[in-house]
Amino acid sequence: MKIHGFNTLTLLDYPGHLGATLFLGGCNFRCPFCQNAGLVLSPQSEPYIEEEEVFSYLKKRRGILEGVCITGGEPTLYENELPGFISRIKDLGYLVKLDTNGTNPELIRTLRENDLIDYAAMDIKSSKENYGKVAGVKDLDISSVCRSVEYLMNSGMDYEFRTTVVRELHSTEDFVSIGKWLAGCRAYYLQAYKDSENVIQRGFSSFSREELDDFCRLLRQTMPLVKTRGID
Ligand code: SF4
């Protein structure tokens, strides 16, 4: 497994747990607001960390760190390697959280059914109507994304859905539609977009705190837990 980034200590990435985060390269989406342009567009040019270095650190931090978050890029592109890799992490006693864009529902199911993941955070790019535009993929077939939503909502595991909200890409209508689609989901987070040099396409902006709060109120009509993240 090629690991392109290793955040050795985070309080933010694994809800409620002290964790570490591993970044894998490559993605099948091209969300223009993506904060990891290098990892997505040219992972082969990114530096990488030896797997054994990561395992040696995780061995030493047993009992201190509680969880490992696996993010990207899109980790589920590594469907052959990921189960074995996570299995080694679980053998060390860690909780594992998977961040995913939901395009590989079969792998999410396999990981869950083999007790390899404890928490999944799945991106919801937009309403079904505008999904391809926000994911940066023309004529995107979102059936796999829908199957992942369906699976997570019925899996009994801890999960969250989350949307990075971009003024130029999202509208109130999108959240009306998402509210119907994901009605009754366990937890939904709206993440404020932040511009940076690492995004795939510059020039986007965020909604104001008040506007994001309005979206939250709208979504709470169908979801019990809706919160914002990343607002200054
Ligand atoms: S935001 Fe996530 S799904 Fe979109 S391109 Fe970046 S890594 Fe891929």
Side-chain angles (χ1 to χ4, degrees), residues 1 5 49 101 113 117-118 123 135 137 164 172 188 198 219 223:
M1 183 73 77
I49 300 152
N101 63 19
E113 289 180 353
I117 50 173
D118 303 280
D123 294 345
V137 180
T164 299
T172 304
Y188 184 74
N198 300 323
L219 290 158
M223 303 172 185

Side-chain angles (χ1 to χ4, degrees), residues 78-205:
Y78 299 89
E79 58 186 359
N80 294 329
E81 299 99 320
L82 207 54
F85 179 69
I86 296 180
S87 187
R88 288 187 66 193
I89 298 173
K90 295 295 288 178
D91 286 347
L92 295 174
Y94 286 101
L95 295 168
V96 172
K97 167 177 175 261
L98 177 74
D99 288 353
T100 179
N101 63 19
T103 49
N104 195 338
E106 292 74 24
L107 184 61
I108 296 172
R109 177 189 290 271
T110 299
L111 294 174
R112 173 60 183 166
E113 289 180 353
N114 288 285
D115 293 324
L116 293 174
I117 50 173
D118 303 280
Y119 192 104
M122 177 178 159
D123 294 345
I124 299 295
K125 298 301 176 187
S126 187
S127 58
K128 289 181 182 175
E129 297 78 16
N130 287 319
Y131 219 91
K133 178 184 81 174
V134 180
V137 180
K138 205 166 173 283
D139 301 323
L140 178 69
D141 175 359
I142 62 161
S143 55
S144 59
V145 169
C146 294
R147 288 206 308 281
S148 291
V149 165
E150 189 78 19
Y151 175 70
L152 288 176
M153 287 183 69
N154 293 294
S155 64
M157 72 182 288
D158 285 344
Y159 70 91
E160 66 179 52
F161 295 131
R162 58 196 192 174
T163 299
T164 299
V165 193
V166 183
R167 178 178 289 283
E168 291 77 10
L169 298 175
H170 294 101
S171 67
T172 304
E173 288 69 38
D174 288 315
F175 292 104
V176 170
S177 178
I178 289 170
K180 290 180 191 151
W181 179 19
L182 306 181
C185 69
R186 178 185 174 274
Y188 184 74
Y189 291 89
L190 295 180
Q191 304 180 153
Y193 170 77
K194 280 202 169 59
D195 201 24
S196 84
E197 287 184 353
N198 300 323
V199 291
I200 289 184
Q201 186 184 322
R202 296 294 301 268
F204 292 117
S205 57

Side-chain angles (χ1 to χ4, degrees), residues 27 29-31 33-34 40 72-73 101 123 125 200:
C27 187
F29 281 178
R30 290 291 179 273
C31 314
F33 55 87
C34 176
V40 168
N101 63 19
D123 294 345
K125 298 301 176 187
I200 289 184

Side-chain angles (χ1 to χ4, degrees), residues 20-51:
T21 301
L22 300 171
F23 294 81
L24 309 183
C27 187
N28 48 353
F29 281 178
R30 290 291 179 273
C31 314
F33 55 87
C34 176
Q35 298 283 347
N36 288 322
L39 263 187
V40 168
L41 301 177
S42 54
Q44 66 288 348
S45 315
E46 297 286 306
Y48 67 92
I49 300 152
E50 293 295 339
E51 232 181 74

